[in-house]
Amino acid sequence: MNEPFIRPMTIIETLEQHGHEAYFVGGAVRDVIIGREIGDVDIATSAKPEEVMALFSKTILVGIEHGTVVVVLDGEQYEVTTFRAEGEYEDFRRPASVQFITSLTADLERRDFTINAIAMNKDGELLDPFNGQQAIKDRIICTVGEAKERFTEDALRMMRALRFVSQLGFQLEDRTKEAIKEHKSLLQHVSVERITIEFEKMLSGPFVKKAITLMNETGVHEFLPGLYGSARSLAKVANSHLGELKEQNELWALLLLVLEEAECTAFLKKWKLSNRSIKEIEFAVAAFEAVSRDGWTAQILYTYGLERALNVVRLHRAFGIASIQFNAVKEWYDRLPIHSLKELAVKGTDLMSWSGKKGGPWLSETLQLIEQEVVAGRLQNEQSAIKEWLKCNQQ
């Protein structure tokens, strides 16, 4: 048994000791079969939520209506969800009702894709009623049951299909692909926040080129925020070296640059990104454009800082543009005379004292001019040198 399953094995054993069925399910089981790094380990059980909570000393009730309880063991959290069947879906995104059941097979039947509908018991034996192992072997993504039904139940599954293509490099089964083409407009009923999560995961996958190509072929992009009519630009994104990028903010910056988006804030707000993320993405775009316009300068390094300069280097690499090396950027930044206005050898009070003038717009303008001269290396960051420079330039 793989290490990530060892600790939560206690949960399964406890549930079984009290007469309940319990199995590992979902992505962790899929990934152990594929041989990928295992993420969150989830458990499905015949026990009702209140029965689960009664058996463990520390639990968090996160969704009793869906039968999910988080069990905390040694500081780690594990989702334990009661076997369930779902009623008719509302608005192509959520079931109108949930019924707790005792059948593992019926529980697996409600899942999205066959690769995610495999369970594993505590002995490592796989229960695979929908041939998910064969789909993994064939490197195919296909829905559990009729694709049209799965996508009309929850339209987000179409984005999840593209995300799995990007992460796993699998092919979309033909009927699944055709169902996405037919029902892509249903994505309009899904919350932007849910779409954004899947879109970011798709952009981060090692097979993102394949996923974006599929997104264009199926027309899914036409129903994503701000991407209507952008197939050609998205093809350019697919052909860039996204693996060079380190952060989600850099992925968004690259997308904005390829789209040549003039209204960055408005575009990013459509995706419901946080104000903090929007600010960082805009800085990355501005830094990239400054370097493209003026080349690498001390002033750009000072204005945007080391991290944003490194953003630019990674963006250059993603675009296949020859750029300065990371170490060179870091060494250059370290050699800057100052790294913020706080490090300037003079303050506004000094300038007022030397000039005999009161504060006003001239003060910030003069400090900014001194700052630029010091950063450029044309003026030493010493009070005497700055005082003499001011004297010469005020004559």
Side-chain angles (χ1 to χ4, degrees):
M1 185 66 70
N2 292 62
E3 193 279 331
F5 295 103
I6 293 175
R7 183 179 295 161
M9 186 89 70
T10 302
I11 299 173
I12 288 183
E13 290 173 343
T14 300
L15 288 164
E16 289 184 342
Q17 287 166 7
H18 288 80
H20 306 293
E21 292 183 48
Y23 304 90
F24 296 115
V25 293
V29 177
R30 176 198 67 225
D31 290 341
V32 76
I33 296 170
I34 294 173
R36 295 176 77 227
E37 182 179 349
I38 297 168
D40 294 336
V41 175
D42 297 328
I43 294 169
T45 179
S46 60
K48 302 293 192 298
E50 58 271 18
E51 293 173 321
V52 175
M53 296 180 73
L55 291 175
F56 300 96
S57 59
K58 190 169 184 180
T59 60
I60 305 169
L61 189 59
V62 294
I64 192 167
E65 69 278 9
H66 296 113
T68 300
V69 174
V70 170
V71 175
V72 183
L73 289 181
D74 301 325
E76 295 291 328
Q77 298 185 0
Y78 302 95
E79 285 194 2
V80 180
T81 303
T82 304
F83 298 159
R84 69 180 193 245
E86 297 172 340
E88 294 295 321
Y89 276 66
E90 296 178 336
D91 302 326
F92 312 103
R93 53 185 174 176
R94 55 176 176 257
S97 62
V98 171
Q99 179 184 0
F100 298 144
I101 57 178
T102 58
S103 167
L104 171 66
T105 299
D107 180 75
L108 295 175
E109 188 175 14
R110 68 178 175 79
R111 296 175 186 268
D112 51 9
F113 306 107
T114 59
I115 61 174
N116 297 329
I118 308 170
M120 183 173 70
N121 67 19
K122 66 179 181 181
D123 299 317
E125 297 173 346
L126 298 173
L127 295 91
D128 184 14
F130 303 104
N131 299 315
Q133 292 175 86
Q134 187 62 47
I136 289 173
K137 182 179 179 181
D138 295 338
R139 299 178 64 80
I140 292 289
I141 294 172
C142 56
T143 58
V144 177
E146 183 59 45
K148 294 179 180 180
E149 292 181 12
R150 297 292 82 77
F151 295 145
T152 52
E153 287 171 349
D154 185 353
L156 186 70
R157 288 169 173 164
M158 291 182 277
M159 288 298 299
R160 284 171 59 79
L162 295 175
R163 187 247 289 188
F164 287 128
V165 168
S166 179
Q167 291 179 328
L168 305 176
F170 288 11
Q171 300 290 332
L172 276 185
E173 182 238 4
D174 288 341
R175 287 178 300 175
T176 301
K177 182 177 177 179
E178 289 304 312
I180 291 176
K181 288 181 180 179
E182 182 178 347
H183 296 285
K184 58 182 180 287
S185 64
L186 297 181
L187 284 166
Q188 297 173 97
H189 302 284
V190 180
S191 73
V192 172
E193 291 86 350
R194 294 177 74 204
I195 289 175
T196 298
I197 290 170
E198 297 298 331
F199 186 70
E200 288 184 333
K201 289 179 179 179
M202 185 196 76
L203 289 180
S204 301
F207 303 97
V208 61
K209 181 175 182 178
K210 179 182 286 190
I212 290 178
T213 300
L214 273 170
M215 188 166 69
N216 280 348
E217 288 178 4
T218 56
V220 164
H221 66 287
E222 302 288 358
F223 296 93
L224 300 183
L227 295 185
Y228 183 84
S230 62
R232 288 187 178 181
S233 295
L234 289 171
K236 292 179 183 178
V237 173
N239 288 320
S240 61
H241 307 289
L242 295 181
E244 296 285 353
L245 303 180
K246 180 181 176 183
E247 304 166 357
Q248 287 288 354
N249 288 346
E250 292 171 351
L251 290 166
W252 285 106
L254 182 139
L255 180 62
L256 288 167
L257 289 164
V258 171
L259 292 173
E260 299 181 355
E261 181 59 56
E263 300 294 334
C264 293
T265 301
F267 178 87
L268 296 172
K269 281 185 177 296
K270 291 178 183 178
W271 288 89
K272 300 295 181 70
L273 298 187
S274 69
N275 289 335
R276 180 177 179 180
S277 292
I278 290 174
K279 183 178 179 180
E280 287 302 316
I281 294 164
E282 289 180 329
F283 270 125
V285 170
F288 182 93
E289 291 177 338
V291 172
S292 298
R293 181 180 62 250
D294 303 325
W296 286 101
T297 66
Q299 186 62 52
I300 285 175
L301 274 177
Y302 175 78
T303 300
Y304 292 101
L306 178 59
E307 289 307 313
R308 289 166 188 150
L310 296 178
N311 290 155
V312 173
V313 176
R314 285 190 284 268
L315 285 165
H316 278 164
R317 292 187 172 195
F319 281 121
I321 300 171
S323 186
I324 191 170
Q325 296 297 311
F326 290 117
N327 287 341
V329 171
K330 293 175 183 176
E331 290 172 5
W332 190 358
Y333 181 79
D334 289 340
R335 291 198 306 270
L336 289 176
I338 59 174
H339 298 91
S340 72
L341 187 59
K342 293 179 181 178
E343 296 178 15
L344 203 61
V346 298
K347 295 180 173 56
T349 52
D350 297 316
L351 302 189
M352 288 188 290
S353 174
W354 297 341
S355 65
K357 296 166 60 177
K358 293 182 179 181
W362 72 272
L363 193 58
S364 60
E365 291 170 3
T366 305
L367 282 171
Q368 185 177 24
L369 186 59
I370 294 169
E371 181 184 30
Q372 291 173 353
E373 292 297 304
V374 169
V375 169
R378 294 187 291 266
L379 176 61
Q380 284 188 310
N381 187 35
E382 296 177 356
Q383 273 204 0
S384 57
I386 294 170
K387 186 175 184 179
E388 182 63 26
W389 181 84
L390 283 170
K391 182 179 179 181
C392 293
N393 280 273
Q394 288 174 349
Q395 289 178 348

